[in-house]
Amino acid sequence: MTTRSDAAERLARMIRIPTVSAELDERGRAPFDDFAALLAELYPNVHRALDRERITEFGLLFRWPGADAELDPVVLMAHYDVVPVDERDAWTHPPFAGRIADGYVHGRGALDDKGPLLVILEAVESLLAERFVPARDVYLSFGGNEETFGSAARAIADAFAARGITPWLVLDEGGAVVDAPLPLVRGQAAMVGVGEKGPLTLRLSAHGDGGHASAPPALTAAARVARAVTRLGAGTFPARTPVGVSRMLAGLVPSTSGPARRLYRLLAAHPRLTARVFARLGGEPAAMVRTTVATTMLAGGTASNVLPSRASATVNLRIALGETVASTVRRVRRRIGDRRVQIEVVDGEEPSPESSTDNAQFALIAAAVGASHPEARTVPYIMMAATDSRHFHRFAPAVYRFAPLAMSAELRATIHGVDERVSIAELERGTRFHRALLEQLPSRSGA
């Protein structure tokens, strides 16, 4: 097993390469090529023993032949691109310096998603050094543009489908090991995403007469768009409890006591009640049970005293499981109730199905959590953000989202934020998780 400091230094070197997919035009491809070259340097066993394939300019796919090639394989996913940094933000350590300090590796991508990528490679590299052979084929699927909608991961998933390969298990980023995941719940829980909401971006636009602002009409283009936005409030979409949320509540019952235990049992058994309660709580609980709407950009006008002839708003929605892109757009149109507001689908994907928790795959994840974080209870939940794994969900029945790292609420807030960092101790635990998962893959007799 590699030492903590070695793994931390490897991650620090990964962070020092600014693979910012949203800044591809400014930075060029060089950082992404440099990152691929760095992986070859840091993980020689992986690159010597596994077949490596470039799919698109940013997809890296490794195949580790298993003892029985006829068994459906496992796909371990991560992405190596990161989001931009706002230069106005004050970081304790520069975001691309890859500093190791105070028991942490600091920098953009430490948690999302270079740290989770590293612990996969640490596990595979060390197992290869021990001449371990997995029970079935194992693929490592690394995308370089997840933060810009994941075309590399889509192409990799398409390659699997075209080759007639249906993974037995797909595991990507998503949940983590967290403390007190919901109110009145004690202890740690390993939150494993069994489904994810669908991302949808709409552009609302309106036209109107331009002119001097001193004599505005009753309803300008900007005011029409503003009115449309205000009509898309929190109650635009009905609240419904996905099966995964009910399973999550049931899984957390043993971590409660007294009245809290009775409450969680009640909520787990009555999804309609859960929907009403979570909707009233707002925030993350409400986002679990309904499609969310967030206006993210507004545009229009060229001068402070000129009426804009065109105004627009960009709206980001996360479609709840059980709904579709088409049904969501129809509800938005009805809610706005203004034919002069044009609604354009900029991009959108359907929410995923829910993967089972009553199968060997979920049991394997729980067993691996027992090896890495024995104090944590493995619990399903529904992802509110999008991951690359959604592309596999079209044809793979067992897709899960879990990064085997403990993250406090404060640490989770650094993802896409300021002072992102990962505990060095968690890199060791994450490596232990993936070693346990790979060592316990079922063979033909246990499949």
Side-chain angles (χ1 to χ4, degrees):
M1 180 74 70
T2 54
T3 65
R4 297 181 187 184
S5 57
D6 288 345
E9 180 55 39
R10 281 188 277 274
L11 179 57
R13 292 184 64 185
M14 292 182 188
I15 289 170
R16 290 170 195 147
I17 300 178
T19 50
V20 185
S21 53
E23 297 176 352
L24 185 62
D25 290 343
E26 299 91 332
R27 297 178 183 270
R29 273 191 53 186
F32 300 87
D33 293 336
D34 291 345
F35 189 88
L38 177 63
L39 293 187
E41 175 192 341
L42 297 180
Y43 299 100
N45 290 337
V46 169
H47 286 74
R48 184 167 47 248
L50 276 60
D51 303 324
R52 179 184 177 224
E53 184 178 0
R54 290 294 288 263
I55 296 184
T56 76
E57 295 179 335
F58 302 103
L60 299 173
L61 182 65
F62 298 83
R63 175 179 170 265
W64 187 4
D68 190 342
E70 294 186 6
L71 291 174
D72 290 336
V74 168
V75 181
L76 302 179
M77 301 183 69
H79 66 88
Y80 58 94
D81 64 317
V82 300
V83 296
V85 172
D86 189 331
E87 299 297 336
R88 296 168 295 183
D89 291 334
W91 287 60
T92 303
H93 301 282
F96 294 110
R99 295 277 173 80
I100 301 173
D102 306 317
Y104 290 86
V105 183
H106 299 255
R108 175 62 82 225
L111 291 173
D112 184 20
D113 189 36
K114 292 179 178 178
L117 182 148
L118 173 127
V119 297
I120 293 172
L121 288 170
E122 292 288 311
V124 175
E125 183 79 4
S126 62
L127 287 170
L128 286 168
E130 299 168 11
R131 301 185 182 278
F132 172 80
V133 177
R136 57 183 70 211
D137 286 1
V138 174
Y139 287 87
L140 312 181
S141 174
F142 301 148
N145 51 16
E146 189 270 351
E147 300 291 0
T148 52
F149 307 111
S151 62
R154 182 193 296 273
I156 291 172
D158 288 344
F160 272 75
R163 296 168 188 175
I165 303 171
T166 302
W168 180 77
L169 166 67
V170 176
L171 184 61
D172 196 6
E173 64 167 335
V177 177
V178 303
D179 289 315
L182 287 176
L184 309 176
V185 175
R186 302 187 310 271
Q188 286 191 326
M191 308 298 293
V192 178
V194 295
E196 65 181 59
K197 300 172 80 173
L200 173 63
T201 302
L202 301 178
R203 183 176 293 115
L204 314 180
S205 59
H207 297 267
D209 294 330
H212 200 280
S214 61
L219 196 61
T220 64
R224 191 176 293 277
V225 169
R227 186 177 68 179
V229 167
T230 59
R231 288 175 175 174
L232 299 177
T236 298
F237 292 89
R240 301 187 185 95
T241 303
V243 174
V245 171
S246 295
R247 290 174 178 169
M248 174 189 72
L249 295 169
L252 292 173
V253 166
S255 298
T256 60
S257 61
R261 177 165 292 193
R262 292 191 291 274
L263 172 62
Y264 273 80
R265 281 177 175 162
L266 179 67
L267 293 174
H270 296 87
R272 290 185 180 179
L273 175 62
T274 300
R276 292 199 299 271
V277 171
F278 277 35
R280 290 186 178 182
L281 288 174
E284 286 193 2
M288 290 184 191
V289 297
R290 66 163 36 129
T291 295
T292 56
V293 187
T295 302
T296 55
M297 293 189 290
L298 298 167
T302 57
S304 61
N305 62 344
V306 176
L307 296 175
S309 59
R310 178 182 173 87
S312 66
T314 300
V315 182
N316 184 266
L317 301 95
R318 300 300 166 122
I319 306 172
L321 277 67
E323 299 180 18
T324 66
V325 171
S327 67
T328 300
V329 173
R330 285 197 299 269
R331 181 173 286 271
V332 167
R333 194 179 305 278
R334 288 198 305 270
R335 190 77 173 197
I336 291 174
D338 186 345
R339 293 182 179 180
R340 295 186 64 180
V341 174
Q342 290 79 49
I343 301 173
E344 174 192 356
V345 176
V346 179
D347 54 67
E349 296 192 35
E350 307 294 347
S352 78
E354 289 188 51
S355 294
S356 174
T357 57
D358 299 320
N359 56 13
Q361 292 92 329
F362 193 83
L364 175 65
I365 294 170
V369 169
S372 63
H373 298 83
E375 66 284 359
R377 182 179 299 278
T378 303
V379 177
Y381 86 114
I382 301 299
M383 278 274 300
M384 288 171 279
T387 70
D388 275 344
S389 68
R390 69 189 185 277
H391 303 302
F392 278 92
H393 237 323
R394 291 176 286 119
F395 60 94
V399 179
Y400 302 91
R401 302 149 185 86
F402 174 67
L405 306 171
M407 304 181 197
S408 65
E410 188 270 332
L411 278 180
R412 295 196 302 277
T414 69
I415 296 174
H416 290 204
V418 177
D419 282 346
E420 185 177 353
R421 63 196 184 278
V422 64
S423 164
I424 295 172
E426 285 305 308
L427 298 179
E428 182 183 15
R429 294 189 185 99
T431 301
R432 194 182 307 149
F433 170 90
H434 282 294
R435 282 181 59 97
L437 185 141
L438 293 166
E439 288 172 331
Q440 296 175 43
L441 287 177
S443 61
R444 185 177 298 271
S445 60

